[in-house]
Amino acid sequence: MNFNNLIKNPKPYAIAASEKIKNKLRVYFSKGNKVHCEICNWNGNGFFNGKCPKCNSLPRTRLIPFSLRHFGLIKNNLNILHIAPNLNEYNYVKNTFQNIKQYDRLNIRAVPHINMEQDITKTDIAENTYDLVIVWHVLEHIVDDEKAASEIYRILKPKGNLLMSVPIYPKGNMVTYEDPSIPYEDYMKVHGHPDHCRSCGMDYCKRFEKVGFSTKLLNVYQNEDLKKYGLSKDHVVWAFNK
Ligand SMILES: [Zn+2]
């Protein structure tokens, strides 16, 4: 084994192991109460490159608990659908909502914490099934997002809520841009991500209003909140009501 080469070009498992050790030290040495991660309940003196040293959550993930509280959506006895959650999001919802009647996790691919392998643009879910649907940084990957919007509307109960966030690209963009003739290889160049099929703007909510939803927007936080919960002022959340 060439150790010089290994130090210059560390293998992915070596990077992950060293990150794990660094995070353990960060948790140990950053005891305090300046910041709070609502995903894992860690308190400390600061996040590290935006990440929580205990659960590795990102600012956009920590925005889920913040916006659920902001819109008053944490209630008992709900039927919840979570579209393509990551593991942190899944654990947070499972541990936060009391007496969940049903908590479905849908993804187009089979991943360990998913219980429904389905396409959100055409599910076999009965209409009026859910009280709350959560979809976080997913719709920018779905080509037929308008079909997904009507499908979510169909499976929500009357007065049910959809909590949604997408990345706004470029920062502060007001008008959503997409062009179906752009080839997949050019997504990175045009939309800033190799798998984003559009650049979402602040008008992206109109696609949901078109299928019948009414909208509430959250994009302004107090500075103290940004700091305390490790959020980004560039992220937006919409709460849609059926
Ligand atoms: Zn955390």
Side-chain angles (χ1 to χ4, degrees):
M1 189 187 287
N2 183 337
F3 283 101
N4 282 337
N5 195 31
L6 197 64
I7 289 163
K8 268 191 239 156
N9 302 297
K11 300 269 189 258
Y13 60 80
I15 296 172
S18 98
E19 202 47 33
K20 238 181 173 170
I21 294 165
K22 273 190 211 158
N23 276 342
K24 281 212 155 59
L25 292 170
R26 283 164 175 161
V27 168
Y28 185 79
F29 287 108
S30 179
K31 288 190 177 117
N33 268 310
K34 284 189 189 150
V35 302
H36 175 63
C37 172
E38 290 192 274
I39 295 291
C40 71
N41 278 324
W42 174 74
N43 290 306
N45 277 331
F47 293 99
F48 295 86
N49 300 321
K51 282 188 178 174
C52 167
K54 196 172 165 199
C55 71
N56 256 324
S57 63
L58 294 166
R60 71 178 198 202
T61 303
R62 293 192 295 271
L63 187 54
I64 295 179
F66 187 83
S67 44
L68 282 168
R69 279 194 290 111
H70 176 87
F71 290 115
L73 296 175
I74 301 175
K75 292 174 186 163
N76 296 340
N77 305 308
L78 297 186
N79 286 340
I80 302 173
L81 174 67
H82 205 156
I83 299 169
N86 64 33
L87 190 58
N88 269 334
E89 295 173 15
Y90 163 58
N91 283 327
Y92 169 77
V93 170
K94 190 179 59 169
N95 296 329
T96 301
F97 285 81
Q98 301 295 306
N99 307 314
I100 302 185
K101 272 196 203 149
Q102 190 176 342
Y103 177 31
D104 290 324
R105 293 90 56 201
L106 175 150
N107 197 310
I108 199 155
R109 280 175 287 276
V111 284
H113 53 282
I114 293 307
N115 69 333
M116 282 180 164
E117 194 183 335
Q118 288 202 42
D119 179 345
I120 189 56
T121 65
K122 43 174 191 237
T123 73
D124 59 13
I125 300 166
E127 61 180 34
N128 306 331
T129 296
Y130 297 105
D131 301 287
L132 175 65
V133 173
I134 303 170
V135 56
W136 223 247
H137 291 241
V138 171
L139 287 153
E140 67 279 11
H141 299 269
I142 298 179
V143 173
D144 204 344
D145 59 338
E146 299 202 8
K147 234 173 139 198
S150 10
E151 185 63 0
I152 294 169
Y153 190 85
R154 187 185 70 78
I155 61 184
L156 265 173
K157 291 181 189 171
K159 297 198 189 320
N161 291 291
L162 161 64
L163 191 73
M164 184 187 85
S165 183
V166 288
I168 299 296
Y169 182 83
K171 212 189 265 187
N173 178 25
M174 294 306 286
V175 182
T176 301
Y177 171 71
E178 72 181 291
D179 175 354
S181 69
I182 295 168
Y184 185 78
E185 313 80 81
D186 289 348
Y187 281 3
M188 182 70 206
K189 198 170 71 194
V190 181
H191 303 306
H193 187 286
D195 194 50
H196 289 181
C197 55
R198 69 185 58 83
S199 300
C200 297
M202 294 301 292
D203 66 343
Y204 188 63
C205 55
K206 287 191 183 145
R207 298 186 184 198
F208 291 76
E209 290 164 1
K210 217 164 96 187
V211 302
F213 283 113
S214 60
T215 312
K216 283 183 199 158
L217 169 71
L218 165 65
N219 73 338
V220 182
Y221 320 110
Q222 304 290 328
N223 267 337
E224 312 86 78
D225 289 336
L226 287 170
K227 216 171 156 196
K228 180 159 188 202
Y229 301 110
L231 307 174
S232 161
K233 65 175 175 356
D234 301 320
H235 289 156
V236 298
V237 180
W238 290 283
F240 297 101
N241 187 255
K242 177 171 173 180

